[in-house]
Amino acid sequence: MKRTLYVLAIGVFGIATTELGVIGILPQLAAAFHVSIDKAGWLLSSFAIVIAVCGPFMTLLFSWLDKRKTMLFVLALFTISNIVSAMAVSFNVLLLARILPAFMHPVFWSVALATAAGSVPQTESPKAVGIVFGGFTIASVLGIPVVSFIAALYGWQASFVMCAAVNTLSLLGLLLWLPAFPVTEKTTYGKQLLILKKPVLWINFVLACLIVAAMYASYGYLAAYLRDITKMNGKEVSLMLMIFGFTGIAGNWLAGKMLSRNIAATTIIFIALLSLSHIVVFYAGAYYIPMVIVIFLWGFIHTGGFLISNINVTTAASEAPEFVNSIFTTCGNLAVTIGSVVGGAVIAHVGLRQVVWSSVVLLVLSTPVWALAQYRSRVKS
């Protein structure tokens, strides 16, 4: 069973590397296709927009297919997309090659998480989902620097070839080691949509949105914070971002274990610790050594937020796991956008050093929402 979970994590790593890796080569792509950097940014933002808008609908559409075949199809599509991207002769061709797999990204993500949760006893499902989430965490740590490194050595085309190779390896892994997961009892679209009538689900969506927005309100500007407030140079900032990500892998693993024991307690402990870490950043941010220590702790706490938010949402509507995971994907993309906008507004009006308070405020707002979610769960709404 663990082999199945790690194979799923490799698949998530493959699609996440395709999604995020382009961040590191945007300047090269802008120069190669003679477009502005903000236009090149559409290679990333269009991907996220398609996921946010189409995720639930595409997941519903594919909900009746064998899960293994669905995931193999998605990875094959991602492989072809990267090959076409490497051969693109115009920016529009490259943009189209990026947009097409984005339609299927939430399908793979939703099916992989639901498969992980359903392949183990219910008490162990948070730990299983945490292993699959590890693929995303590793991709977010290694994807951007590795893609950038390959592009610097061999050109931007080679970076897409590398992403195609990663997705091919993921596909082969699923083909060889993932068992079939046929749909034994087809759930109608109407029955899946019924979960949207559950008040506790919407409360947990709000909770997830506030938590993820709080995470990215400050994290989205971490590089600028380290450069301008802590006065680190470019190499030191890169190292700190790597450390942040690697400690997050361990934090994600611990969050999975804690969620298996008590979801509610893990959630409120996370909210409290993440709030505290941001407050410490405010007071330690101008001091080099204390900030290095804080980065270790902040990264360790931060990364578990996605997993914690996901488990809160999916346990509120376990009867339609793929569909609820797809809505969570939309919610996550929306929350990242909200967090970035809120953090940017704080920076614009009161300065970069104050950005951490935007995260603290969002986390404070999430606390009564968490309490309401616990209350509604107890009355079985």
Side-chain angles (χ1 to χ4, degrees):
M1 193 56 63
K2 275 200 171 182
R3 184 179 67 182
T4 298
L5 297 176
Y6 286 117
V7 168
L8 291 171
I10 292 170
V12 169
F13 174 81
I15 65 171
T17 298
T18 296
E19 177 186 3
L20 301 173
V22 74
I23 294 173
I25 58 172
L26 283 180
Q28 287 177 264
L29 294 173
F33 292 104
H34 308 290
V35 298
S36 62
I37 192 68
D38 59 303
K39 186 174 181 180
W42 276 99
L43 296 170
L44 180 67
S45 56
S46 62
F47 200 103
I49 290 169
V50 169
I51 291 173
V53 174
C54 301
F57 305 105
M58 295 301 295
T59 303
L60 276 176
L61 186 63
F62 280 81
S63 62
W64 57 276
L65 288 177
D66 180 284
K67 296 175 183 178
R68 178 174 179 267
K69 291 179 180 177
T70 298
M71 289 188 281
L72 289 173
F73 171 73
V74 176
L75 287 174
L77 181 61
F78 268 74
T79 300
I80 294 168
S81 164
N82 279 297
I83 293 171
V84 173
S85 296
M87 300 169 62
V89 294
S90 71
F91 181 78
N92 288 336
V93 170
L94 179 59
L95 184 61
L96 181 63
R98 287 279 298 171
I99 288 174
L100 288 178
F103 284 96
M104 297 303 298
H105 177 285
V107 176
F108 187 98
W109 182 254
S110 304
V111 171
L113 294 182
T115 301
S119 63
V120 296
Q122 188 174 358
T123 55
E124 295 293 308
S125 62
K127 192 188 301 182
V129 172
I131 291 174
V132 177
F133 255 100
F136 173 80
T137 305
I138 295 172
S140 64
V141 175
L142 296 179
I144 297 172
V146 169
V147 168
S148 301
F149 181 71
I150 294 295
L153 287 180
Y154 305 109
W156 62 267
Q157 294 93 339
S159 65
F160 285 111
V161 172
M162 187 213 74
C163 289
V166 169
N167 282 287
T168 300
L169 289 174
S170 302
L171 189 152
L172 291 175
L174 265 66
L175 190 63
L176 292 173
W177 293 308
L178 190 70
F181 287 95
V183 178
T184 54
E185 182 181 351
K186 182 178 176 181
T187 306
T188 64
Y189 297 149
K191 189 174 180 181
Q192 293 182 72
L193 288 169
L194 279 176
I195 66 169
L196 299 178
K197 292 185 175 181
K198 300 179 73 172
V200 69
L201 177 61
W202 288 103
I203 294 167
N204 278 292
F205 275 136
V206 174
L207 176 63
C209 192
L210 286 168
I211 288 175
V212 176
M215 291 164 59
Y216 279 84
S218 296
Y219 174 67
Y221 302 96
L222 177 56
Y225 200 94
L226 293 172
R227 184 189 64 228
D228 296 344
I229 306 301
T230 316
K231 306 300 180 185
M232 292 185 178
N233 60 37
K235 290 182 179 178
E236 290 168 336
V237 169
S238 298
L239 177 61
M240 289 300 102
L241 292 175
M242 290 285 284
I243 289 172
F244 189 99
F246 277 117
T247 57
I249 295 172
N252 192 75
W253 171 81
L254 180 61
K257 288 185 71 70
M258 292 178 64
L259 285 164
S260 295
R261 297 176 182 176
N262 192 310
I263 296 171
T266 302
T267 303
I268 195 62
I269 289 171
F270 169 81
I271 290 171
L273 289 178
L274 191 62
S275 299
L276 181 61
S277 69
H278 282 87
I279 294 169
V280 174
V281 167
F282 178 78
Y283 290 104
Y287 304 98
Y288 191 97
I289 298 301
M291 192 59 183
V292 171
I293 297 171
V294 171
I295 288 294
F296 276 88
L297 298 175
W298 184 8
F300 184 82
I301 298 164
H302 169 97
T303 308
F306 266 116
L307 176 59
I308 290 167
S309 300
N310 175 266
I311 295 299
N312 275 284
V313 167
T314 53
T315 52
S318 56
E319 61 270 36
E322 289 93 353
F323 183 49
V324 75
N325 269 310
S326 69
I327 304 176
F328 173 76
T329 305
T330 295
C331 175
N333 279 272
L334 175 64
V336 169
T337 303
I338 291 172
S340 300
V341 170
V342 170
V346 170
I347 292 171
H349 289 90
V350 294
L352 180 58
R353 189 173 178 230
Q354 313 295 330
V355 71
V356 294
W357 295 110
S358 61
S359 295
V360 173
V361 169
L362 288 167
L363 289 166
V364 169
L365 290 174
S366 72
T367 305
V369 179
W370 168 84
L372 180 60
Q374 305 317 303
Y375 170 75
R376 295 298 304 204
S377 295
R378 284 194 295 272
V379 299
K380 300 185 182 206
S381 297

